[in-house]
Amino acid sequence: MKLLFSAVIIGLWISQGHVMKSWERFGLSLIKSDQLQRLAIYGEIPLCMKRGLVDQQIDLDVLLDAIDLPASRRPPIYVYTGRGPSSLRLHWGHPIPFQLANWLSGLTGGPLHVQLSNDEKFYASDTQSLLDIERFTVENERDIRAICNTDRLFMSRNTQNIADLYTTAMPMAKALPIGTLREVFGLDDSAPIGRFLQPLWQMAPCFADPDPRALCVVACAVDQYPYFRVARAVAERVGKRKPIVIAASQFIPALDNPGSKMSASSPKSCIFFGDTPEVVHSKLSRAVSGGGRTIEEHRERGGDTSRDVAMQLLRAFLEDEAEWTGLVEGYKRGIILTAQVKKRAIGVVNELLAGIEKRRNESIKASCE
Ligand code: TRP
C-alpha cells in the first residue's frame, strides 16, 4: 500500500506556518455548501464551521445519510477526539476540535469519546517525564470537561484503558504491515518501539464498537489525519466501517506570528486557560496586528485582517455574526482601529476563559463531594 502523504511532512508544513489551500492530495475534501445546508436542517452550525476553521471532511455524506434514517434503522454513531497532554493547561489553539466534537455529539445524540494519550508525548519527546505527563493529564482532563460539558462524555487515559485498546487493536496489529507505519509516521529502525505502538492506540477507538455497522466520527485538526487515513485503509480488513473525519485546517496563530500555529512551547505568544484577565490583556495588547503603522496610514489603507492575530481570535470565537462582519468591514476600510479590535478580542477571550474556569471549578468541586 503506497500512501501519498506523510505525517512528518504534514507536521512540518503546519509548524512552519504554511497554509495548505487544499488537502485533497491527502484524501480530505472541503466541506461543501450543500453539506452545510443539510447540517443546518438539524440546528445551528457551530461557529468553527461557519467561519471556515473547520472545513475539511471525508465521508460527511455517510454521516448525513445515517442521521436522516429513522431512529429504528440508524446505525450506532459515536464521536471521537483526543489530546496528548504536553502542557499543564490547554491554550487557545486547542478548543476547536473539542467544540466540534461536542457539537457533533449533540447532533448525533451519540457518545463522545475523548482519548487522553498520556503515553504519546513520553515516546515522542526526550524532555517530558511520566510524572510531568501525569500532572498534565489531570489538569487537561479538567479543561476538556469544561469545554465538553455533556453527560455523553467519556474520557479515557491510555495507560488505564490499555486492556480495551489492546483487544480492539489486535486485528489491526495483525492486518497492518510495519512498513505502513514506518512510511506514514517517518519511523526508521532506530525509532523507539513506543512510537510504533502509539498509532495503534490512537486508531483503536475508531473500531471500538463491536457492532460492524457502527459509525465513528472523528473530530480533529488536519495534522492528525494520517492516523485516520491508515485506520480507513485498514477498516475493511478488520471488519469495520471506515471512520468519518471532520477536520480543522485553519489554526489559531501564535500572538507574535499571524501565519503560525499557537504553541505551548512559546508561552509568551500563547494564551493559556487559567491566564488572568490582566495577563490576557497584556499578552494580546502586544500581539501582531494587521493595522497600519500610524493612525493616518490605517485610515487611508485599512487593516489586513489575515495578518491580525486579534482578528483571527475574533473570527474563531466571536459569536455575534453581525458584529463580526461589521468588524471585518470596518477594519478593512480603516474605520475601526487596531486598538478597538484588540480590546474586543481581549473581552471575548476573557469572557470565554471566565466560563471555562467556572465550569472547571464546579466540576472539580462536584468530583470531591
Ligand atoms: N495525537 C493527538 C495529540 O497529539 C492526541 C489524540 C489522541 C487525538 N487520540 C486522538 C487527536 C483522536 C484527535 C483524535 O494531541
Side-chain angles (χ1 to χ4, degrees), residues 327-344:
L327 276 174
V328 173
E329 272 313 297
Y331 197 58
K332 279 188 182 156
R333 289 169 47 205
I335 300 166
I336 293 175
L337 302 176
T338 298
Q340 290 169 287
V341 169
K342 283 192 172 169
K343 188 166 170 227
R344 192 63 187 110

Side-chain angles (χ1 to χ4, degrees), residues 172 203 206-207 226-236 242-243:
M172 223 182 351
M203 291 188 278
C206 299
F207 306 124
Y227 293 95
F228 304 111
R229 170 114 186 219
V230 176
R232 288 175 57 84
V234 80
E236 204 178 318
K242 292 183 161 97

Side-chain angles (χ1 to χ4, degrees), residues 80-85 115-117 120-121 158 198 201-202 218-221 224 227-228:
Y80 168 44
T81 188
R83 154 129 182 108
Q115 172 177 80
L116 290 160
S117 49
E120 178 174 357
K121 301 289 149 61
N158 283 8
Q198 180 264 326
W201 315 143
Q202 179 149 341
V218 177
C220 63
Q224 299 299 306
Y227 293 95
F228 304 111

